[in-house]
Amino acid sequence: MTVLRVRGTAVATGEPVDLYADGDRWTTDPVPSAELVPTGWLLPGLVDAHTHPGYAEIGDPLDHEALRGHLHQHVDSGVTLIRAPGLAGDPPDWFGTDPDVPRAVHAGPWIAQHGQFFDGWGRRATHAELPDLAAGQAARTGWAKLIADWLPGDEHIPVDVLRAIVERVHAVGGRVAVHSQQRAGGTAAVEAGVDSLEHGTWLDPGLLDRMAAQGTALTPTLSVLLDGVPRVTARPESEKRSWFLAGVAAHPGLVAVAAEAGVTLLAGTDSLPHGRIAAEVRALAGAGVPAHEALGAASWTARAYLGLPGLEPGAPADAVVYAADPRTDLDQLDHPLAVILRGRRIR
């Protein structure tokens, strides 16, 4: 196997980088015959922290061929690590491990209350059953994903139930991600101490300091929500239409204030097409998040949150190289000079 060498400037720190791929780990030990990839500005791989690959239509079962194709789209965009907080089924053994697909963490199928979430997807349980179900999932994969609330007028999972879920999941060494798009559901999730809040529209801004203090991350999936505005605006007036449009209208401001409060932001794209992480970074920056933090949400910050180090000896041998500093031109994200995954040049 060819040994790769990366050299340039680390975007996260501004420090020079000169590393060699010793299999799937970076090292500073020189290898005279190493192949030098194009020099430039370096990221330790991009991260999509909220993606659901492996299906064509909502409610479809997990399709392994589609799953691999979607993961290839992620890699082609520079994504070397994904978090899938909910899948259409249990993934195959090669998910996250084969050399041509991103590293991955996942929460298995979604977990929801009876009568909520998309038909054909996820596991339904009573409030009494939810803590054990979530803990069992987290024990297998490290994460459990709960649908805390769903459509306008639906009841959210009560805070005492969410607390029990968090306690049980943390007891097995796992973490809890929670979908919320209602004020009451978001409040319950934060008060319960969940590890990450997904979407978070209608979240009370008064909870942001608490989120920062207790380490609850926010994955705002801003770009897909904004992209949905023209489609939803064209629909007839309804409670659901008004709820969506008002929540999304306030979301960019909430995300900017969350960044100011020190909440960990994670970049996630949520839906088709895959490989759109650059659009999410631009949406975060467009909302007022500083470009450095917006890029970190899709790279070094997200990797650290998910337990992976960056461009340093002993870290996984992932990197993306750009011709110029992407913080000064976020469109650079669409044009990587090289993508390295597990010590191999993929692009």
Side-chain angles (χ1 to χ4, degrees):
M1 177 177 171
T2 302
V3 174
L4 298 181
R5 180 185 183 185
V6 295
R7 188 170 62 189
T9 303
V11 175
T13 63
E15 297 294 324
V17 171
D18 192 354
L19 295 170
Y20 298 80
D22 180 9
D24 187 21
R25 288 293 180 267
W26 292 122
T27 180
T28 53
D29 297 335
V31 178
S33 60
E35 176 186 325
L36 180 64
V37 302
T39 59
W41 290 79
L42 303 175
L43 291 177
L46 292 172
V47 180
D48 192 327
H50 188 123
T51 180
H52 308 293
Y55 72 92
E57 300 290 340
I58 289 175
D60 285 352
L62 190 69
D63 182 314
H64 292 187
E65 183 177 354
L67 178 63
R68 192 177 288 274
H70 292 159
L71 295 174
H72 287 169
Q73 290 176 308
H74 279 298
V75 172
D76 193 55
S77 72
V79 169
T80 62
L81 171 64
I82 68 164
R83 182 185 60 153
L87 288 167
D90 290 311
D93 290 342
W94 56 259
F95 179 69
T97 62
D98 272 11
D100 63 331
V101 301
R103 304 173 198 276
V105 296
H106 72 91
W110 298 266
I111 299 172
Q113 302 175 92
H114 289 291
Q116 296 187 15
F117 200 50
F118 296 115
D119 291 339
W121 276 359
R123 298 171 177 140
R124 306 300 191 280
T126 65
H127 289 167
E129 296 167 333
L130 285 173
D132 283 345
L133 183 60
Q137 176 63 60
R140 290 188 293 273
T141 65
W143 282 87
K145 169 69 176 297
L146 280 294
I147 307 299
D149 55 48
W150 194 230
L151 299 178
D154 285 347
E155 292 295 324
H156 64 84
I157 299 176
V159 65
D160 61 326
V161 177
L162 284 171
R163 283 199 185 102
I165 291 168
V166 170
E167 289 174 3
R168 290 281 288 110
V169 169
H170 286 182
V172 300
R175 299 166 95 178
V176 179
V178 163
H179 164 108
S180 176
Q181 292 184 270
Q182 296 181 19
R183 188 181 183 95
T187 297
V190 174
E191 290 183 352
V194 304
D195 297 285
S196 71
L197 189 66
E198 310 301 305
H199 314 299
T201 51
W202 291 102
L203 180 67
D204 179 359
L207 295 170
L208 294 173
D209 287 341
R210 178 169 180 171
M211 289 177 66
Q214 70 190 24
T216 298
L218 174 65
T219 317
T221 62
L222 186 57
S223 58
V224 70
L225 292 172
L226 293 173
D227 287 348
V229 168
R231 181 179 67 255
V232 175
T233 300
R235 295 175 182 170
E237 290 282 352
S238 68
E239 180 186 7
K240 183 178 178 182
R241 176 183 182 275
S242 299
W243 160 76
F244 177 87
L245 293 177
V248 174
H251 209 39
L254 172 76
V255 173
V257 175
E260 292 177 3
V263 174
T264 296
L265 295 180
L266 304 175
T269 57
D270 189 37
S271 65
L272 299 167
H274 294 277
R276 296 177 52 257
I277 195 62
E280 181 66 10
V281 175
R282 286 190 285 264
L284 294 174
V289 178
H292 184 86
E293 294 180 35
L295 194 52
S299 184
W300 61 87
T301 301
R303 287 176 72 91
Y305 179 82
L306 295 173
L308 286 184
L311 295 167
E312 59 188 68
D318 300 341
V320 188
V321 187
Y322 300 97
D325 186 346
R327 293 171 301 181
T328 62
D329 177 12
L330 291 175
D331 288 340
Q332 286 286 321
L333 296 176
D334 297 317
H335 308 289
L337 296 177
V339 178
I340 299 165
L341 173 62
R342 298 185 176 90
R344 299 170 60 243
R345 185 169 178 183
I346 303 295
R347 175 176 171 177

